[in-house]
mmCIF file of all heavy atoms in Angstrom:
data_model
loop_
_atom_site.group_PDB
_atom_site.id
_atom_site.type_symbol
_atom_site.label_atom_id
_atom_site.label_comp_id
_atom_site.label_asym_id
_atom_site.label_seq_id
_atom_site.Cartn_x
_atom_site.Cartn_y
_atom_site.Cartn_z
ATOM 1 N N ASP X 424 -22.896 16.371 24.609
ATOM 2 C CA ASP X 424 -23.748 15.207 24.947
ATOM 3 C C ASP X 424 -23.640 14.193 23.833
ATOM 4 O O ASP X 424 -24.262 14.333 22.783
ATOM 5 C CB ASP X 424 -25.198 15.663 25.162
ATOM 6 C CG ASP X 424 -26.062 14.542 25.695
ATOM 7 O OD1 ASP X 424 -25.775 13.374 25.416
ATOM 8 O OD2 ASP X 424 -27.050 14.828 26.396
ATOM 9 N N VAL X 425 -22.798 13.168 24.061
ATOM 10 C CA VAL X 425 -22.552 12.180 23.024
ATOM 11 C C VAL X 425 -23.801 11.398 22.632
ATOM 12 O O VAL X 425 -24.046 11.145 21.436
ATOM 13 C CB VAL X 425 -21.410 11.229 23.422
ATOM 14 C CG1 VAL X 425 -21.089 10.226 22.319
ATOM 15 C CG2 VAL X 425 -20.154 11.966 23.832
ATOM 16 N N GLU X 426 -24.612 11.051 23.600
ATOM 17 C CA GLU X 426 -25.804 10.280 23.304
ATOM 18 C C GLU X 426 -26.808 11.080 22.458
ATOM 19 O O GLU X 426 -27.446 10.536 21.578
ATOM 20 C CB GLU X 426 -26.466 9.854 24.603
ATOM 21 C CG GLU X 426 -25.651 8.771 25.369
ATOM 22 C CD GLU X 426 -26.210 8.475 26.747
ATOM 23 O OE1 GLU X 426 -25.884 9.238 27.671
ATOM 24 O OE2 GLU X 426 -26.928 7.470 26.882
ATOM 25 N N THR X 427 -26.921 12.376 22.693
ATOM 26 C CA THR X 427 -27.774 13.197 21.914
ATOM 27 C C THR X 427 -27.242 13.308 20.472
ATOM 28 O O THR X 427 -28.040 13.240 19.483
ATOM 29 C CB THR X 427 -27.917 14.610 22.506
ATOM 30 O OG1 THR X 427 -28.503 14.513 23.810
ATOM 31 C CG2 THR X 427 -28.781 15.509 21.623
ATOM 32 N N CYS X 428 -25.957 13.409 20.334
ATOM 33 C CA CYS X 428 -25.318 13.496 19.002
ATOM 34 C C CYS X 428 -25.542 12.217 18.212
ATOM 35 O O CYS X 428 -25.916 12.262 16.999
ATOM 36 C CB CYS X 428 -23.831 13.771 19.131
ATOM 37 S SG CYS X 428 -23.428 15.458 19.634
ATOM 38 N N ILE X 429 -25.353 11.069 18.826
ATOM 39 C CA ILE X 429 -25.511 9.827 18.078
ATOM 40 C C ILE X 429 -26.988 9.571 17.713
ATOM 41 O O ILE X 429 -27.299 8.975 16.679
ATOM 42 C CB ILE X 429 -24.913 8.614 18.859
ATOM 43 C CG1 ILE X 429 -24.653 7.437 17.912
ATOM 44 C CG2 ILE X 429 -25.814 8.175 20.010
ATOM 45 C CD1 ILE X 429 -23.933 6.280 18.575
ATOM 46 N N ALA X 430 -27.912 10.077 18.561
ATOM 47 C CA ALA X 430 -29.322 9.922 18.274
ATOM 48 C C ALA X 430 -29.748 10.766 17.053
ATOM 49 O O ALA X 430 -30.652 10.390 16.300
ATOM 50 C CB ALA X 430 -30.151 10.283 19.505
ATOM 51 N N SER X 431 -29.085 11.924 16.896
ATOM 52 C CA SER X 431 -29.407 12.807 15.781
ATOM 53 C C SER X 431 -28.638 12.508 14.518
ATOM 54 O O SER X 431 -28.910 13.086 13.467
ATOM 55 C CB SER X 431 -29.179 14.278 16.181
ATOM 56 O OG SER X 431 -27.805 14.496 16.423
ATOM 57 N N LEU X 432 -27.656 11.603 14.619
ATOM 58 C CA LEU X 432 -26.768 11.343 13.465
ATOM 59 C C LEU X 432 -27.527 10.728 12.305
ATOM 60 O O LEU X 432 -27.294 11.130 11.133
ATOM 61 C CB LEU X 432 -25.614 10.416 13.918
ATOM 62 C CG LEU X 432 -24.462 10.248 12.950
ATOM 63 C CD1 LEU X 432 -23.815 11.572 12.614
ATOM 64 C CD2 LEU X 432 -23.435 9.333 13.574
ATOM 65 N N ARG X 433 -28.359 9.742 12.537
ATOM 66 C CA ARG X 433 -29.180 9.058 11.530
ATOM 67 C C ARG X 433 -28.317 8.561 10.385
ATOM 68 O O ARG X 433 -28.660 8.661 9.186
ATOM 69 C CB ARG X 433 -30.275 10.019 10.976
ATOM 70 C CG ARG X 433 -31.264 10.428 12.059
ATOM 71 C CD ARG X 433 -32.367 11.297 11.466
ATOM 72 N NE ARG X 433 -33.272 11.702 12.501
ATOM 73 C CZ ARG X 433 -34.289 10.990 12.965
ATOM 74 N NH1 ARG X 433 -34.530 9.798 12.421
ATOM 75 N NH2 ARG X 433 -35.091 11.439 13.922
ATOM 76 N N ARG X 434 -27.190 7.968 10.725
ATOM 77 C CA ARG X 434 -26.317 7.318 9.755
ATOM 78 C C ARG X 434 -25.853 5.973 10.358
ATOM 79 O O ARG X 434 -25.836 5.821 11.616
ATOM 80 C CB ARG X 434 -25.129 8.201 9.421
ATOM 81 C CG ARG X 434 -25.445 9.107 8.209
ATOM 82 C CD ARG X 434 -24.404 10.168 8.060
ATOM 83 N NE ARG X 434 -24.709 11.345 8.886
ATOM 84 C CZ ARG X 434 -23.924 12.441 8.901
ATOM 85 N NH1 ARG X 434 -22.832 12.497 8.146
ATOM 86 N NH2 ARG X 434 -24.288 13.459 9.675
ATOM 87 N N PRO X 435 -25.431 4.998 9.555
ATOM 88 C CA PRO X 435 -24.999 3.720 10.093
ATOM 89 C C PRO X 435 -23.871 3.905 11.129
ATOM 90 O O PRO X 435 -22.917 4.655 10.902
ATOM 91 C CB PRO X 435 -24.500 2.990 8.869
ATOM 92 C CG PRO X 435 -25.239 3.595 7.739
ATOM 93 C CD PRO X 435 -25.389 5.028 8.076
ATOM 94 N N VAL X 436 -23.984 3.159 12.230
ATOM 95 C CA VAL X 436 -22.990 3.254 13.299
ATOM 96 C C VAL X 436 -22.592 1.829 13.693
ATOM 97 O O VAL X 436 -23.444 0.939 13.826
ATOM 98 C CB VAL X 436 -23.544 3.996 14.515
ATOM 99 C CG1 VAL X 436 -22.542 3.921 15.695
ATOM 100 C CG2 VAL X 436 -23.843 5.466 14.190
ATOM 101 N N LEU X 437 -21.304 1.611 13.861
ATOM 102 C CA LEU X 437 -20.764 0.341 14.401
ATOM 103 C C LEU X 437 -20.106 0.632 15.741
ATOM 104 O O LEU X 437 -19.240 1.496 15.832
ATOM 105 C CB LEU X 437 -19.761 -0.265 13.449
ATOM 106 C CG LEU X 437 -18.958 -1.483 13.957
ATOM 107 C CD1 LEU X 437 -19.900 -2.648 14.251
ATOM 108 C CD2 LEU X 437 -17.858 -1.892 12.994
ATOM 109 N N ILE X 438 -20.568 -0.049 16.788
ATOM 110 C CA ILE X 438 -20.023 0.146 18.122
ATOM 111 C C ILE X 438 -19.268 -1.104 18.516
ATOM 112 O O ILE X 438 -19.841 -2.183 18.650
ATOM 113 C CB ILE X 438 -21.142 0.450 19.121
ATOM 114 C CG1 ILE X 438 -21.884 1.737 18.765
ATOM 115 C CG2 ILE X 438 -20.594 0.552 20.572
ATOM 116 C CD1 ILE X 438 -23.188 1.954 19.506
ATOM 117 N N ILE X 439 -17.964 -0.978 18.675
ATOM 118 C CA ILE X 439 -17.105 -2.072 19.100
ATOM 119 C C ILE X 439 -16.626 -1.828 20.520
ATOM 120 O O ILE X 439 -16.145 -0.736 20.836
ATOM 121 C CB ILE X 439 -15.899 -2.199 18.147
ATOM 122 C CG1 ILE X 439 -16.347 -2.406 16.692
ATOM 123 C CG2 ILE X 439 -14.969 -3.338 18.572
ATOM 124 C CD1 ILE X 439 -15.222 -2.494 15.688
ATOM 125 N N HIS X 440 -16.757 -2.850 21.362
ATOM 126 C CA HIS X 440 -16.378 -2.662 22.786
ATOM 127 C C HIS X 440 -16.075 -3.984 23.396
ATOM 128 O O HIS X 440 -16.642 -5.012 23.008
ATOM 129 C CB HIS X 440 -17.532 -1.996 23.557
ATOM 130 C CG HIS X 440 -17.125 -1.035 24.604
ATOM 131 N ND1 HIS X 440 -17.229 0.313 24.459
ATOM 132 C CD2 HIS X 440 -16.555 -1.263 25.825
ATOM 133 C CE1 HIS X 440 -16.743 0.927 25.540
ATOM 134 N NE2 HIS X 440 -16.346 0.006 26.412
ATOM 135 N N SER X 441 -15.172 -3.986 24.387
ATOM 136 C CA SER X 441 -14.863 -5.206 25.096
ATOM 137 C C SER X 441 -15.640 -5.213 26.443
ATOM 138 O O SER X 441 -15.646 -4.212 27.167
ATOM 139 C CB SER X 441 -13.352 -5.273 25.418
ATOM 140 O OG SER X 441 -13.087 -6.297 26.343
ATOM 141 N N PRO X 442 -16.267 -6.322 26.775
ATOM 142 C CA PRO X 442 -16.980 -6.404 28.045
ATOM 143 C C PRO X 442 -16.015 -6.372 29.234
ATOM 144 O O PRO X 442 -16.453 -6.159 30.396
ATOM 145 C CB PRO X 442 -17.695 -7.756 27.968
ATOM 146 C CG PRO X 442 -16.913 -8.534 26.959
ATOM 147 C CD PRO X 442 -16.383 -7.574 25.993
ATOM 148 N N LEU X 443 -14.722 -6.531 29.013
ATOM 149 C CA LEU X 443 -13.748 -6.488 30.068
ATOM 150 C C LEU X 443 -12.935 -5.182 30.072
ATOM 151 O O LEU X 443 -11.922 -5.094 30.782
ATOM 152 C CB LEU X 443 -12.777 -7.696 29.917
ATOM 153 C CG LEU X 443 -13.385 -9.103 29.971
ATOM 154 C CD1 LEU X 443 -12.336 -10.140 29.883
ATOM 155 C CD2 LEU X 443 -14.220 -9.294 31.194
ATOM 156 N N ASP X 444 -13.388 -4.199 29.317
ATOM 157 C CA ASP X 444 -12.716 -2.925 29.253
ATOM 158 C C ASP X 444 -12.676 -2.283 30.655
ATOM 159 O O ASP X 444 -13.748 -1.975 31.212
ATOM 160 C CB ASP X 444 -13.429 -2.021 28.245
ATOM 161 C CG ASP X 444 -12.592 -0.759 27.893
ATOM 162 O OD1 ASP X 444 -11.885 -0.243 28.769
ATOM 163 O OD2 ASP X 444 -12.685 -0.318 26.720
ATOM 164 N N GLN X 445 -11.479 -2.078 31.206
ATOM 165 C CA GLN X 445 -11.342 -1.477 32.537
ATOM 166 C C GLN X 445 -11.223 0.034 32.522
ATOM 167 O O GLN X 445 -11.220 0.653 33.571
ATOM 168 C CB GLN X 445 -10.117 -2.090 33.239
ATOM 169 C CG GLN X 445 -10.142 -3.577 33.418
ATOM 170 C CD GLN X 445 -11.310 -4.019 34.304
ATOM 171 O OE1 GLN X 445 -11.479 -3.521 35.410
ATOM 172 N NE2 GLN X 445 -12.121 -4.964 33.781
ATOM 173 N N VAL X 446 -11.136 0.620 31.332
ATOM 174 C CA VAL X 446 -10.998 2.074 31.209
ATOM 175 C C VAL X 446 -12.366 2.694 30.919
ATOM 176 O O VAL X 446 -12.770 3.678 31.590
ATOM 177 C CB VAL X 446 -10.001 2.442 30.128
ATOM 178 C CG1 VAL X 446 -9.890 3.946 29.975
ATOM 179 C CG2 VAL X 446 -8.628 1.851 30.436
ATOM 180 N N VAL X 447 -13.082 2.183 29.927
ATOM 181 C CA VAL X 447 -14.430 2.655 29.580
ATOM 182 C C VAL X 447 -15.314 1.435 29.683
ATOM 183 O O VAL X 447 -15.210 0.522 28.833
ATOM 184 C CB VAL X 447 -14.489 3.286 28.167
ATOM 185 C CG1 VAL X 447 -15.888 3.722 27.821
ATOM 186 C CG2 VAL X 447 -13.509 4.444 28.045
ATOM 187 N N GLY X 448 -16.164 1.354 30.642
ATOM 188 C CA GLY X 448 -16.969 0.180 30.912
ATOM 189 C C GLY X 448 -17.932 -0.173 29.781
ATOM 190 O O GLY X 448 -18.282 0.713 28.980
ATOM 191 N N ILE X 449 -18.372 -1.416 29.742
ATOM 192 C CA ILE X 449 -19.268 -1.882 28.700
ATOM 193 C C ILE X 449 -20.617 -1.184 28.743
ATOM 194 O O ILE X 449 -21.318 -1.109 27.734
ATOM 195 C CB ILE X 449 -19.436 -3.413 28.807
ATOM 196 C CG1 ILE X 449 -20.203 -3.988 27.590
ATOM 197 C CG2 ILE X 449 -20.154 -3.752 30.109
ATOM 198 C CD1 ILE X 449 -19.411 -3.859 26.308
ATOM 199 N N ASP X 450 -20.962 -0.590 29.877
ATOM 200 C CA ASP X 450 -22.242 0.129 29.975
ATOM 201 C C ASP X 450 -22.284 1.335 29.013
ATOM 202 O O ASP X 450 -23.336 1.719 28.534
ATOM 203 C CB ASP X 450 -22.498 0.606 31.403
ATOM 204 C CG ASP X 450 -21.407 1.504 31.927
ATOM 205 O OD1 ASP X 450 -20.230 1.028 31.971
ATOM 206 O OD2 ASP X 450 -21.698 2.649 32.262
ATOM 207 N N HIS X 451 -21.093 1.885 28.722
ATOM 208 C CA HIS X 451 -21.046 2.996 27.785
ATOM 209 C C HIS X 451 -21.473 2.530 26.404
ATOM 210 O O HIS X 451 -22.180 3.229 25.670
ATOM 211 C CB HIS X 451 -19.650 3.619 27.708
ATOM 212 C CG HIS X 451 -19.296 4.397 28.948
ATOM 213 N ND1 HIS X 451 -19.468 5.771 28.994
ATOM 214 C CD2 HIS X 451 -18.775 4.027 30.138
ATOM 215 C CE1 HIS X 451 -19.071 6.215 30.168
ATOM 216 N NE2 HIS X 451 -18.653 5.158 30.889
#
Side-chain angles (χ1 to χ4, degrees):
D424 187 331
V425 183
E426 290 173 278
T427 298
C428 286
I429 199 172
S431 65
L432 190 58
R433 297 183 181 276
R434 270 168 274 181
V436 173
L437 171 64
I438 299 168
I439 301 177
H440 216 106
S441 169
L443 301 182
D444 193 325
Q445 298 299 307
V446 178
V447 179
I449 190 65
D450 59 300
H451 287 267

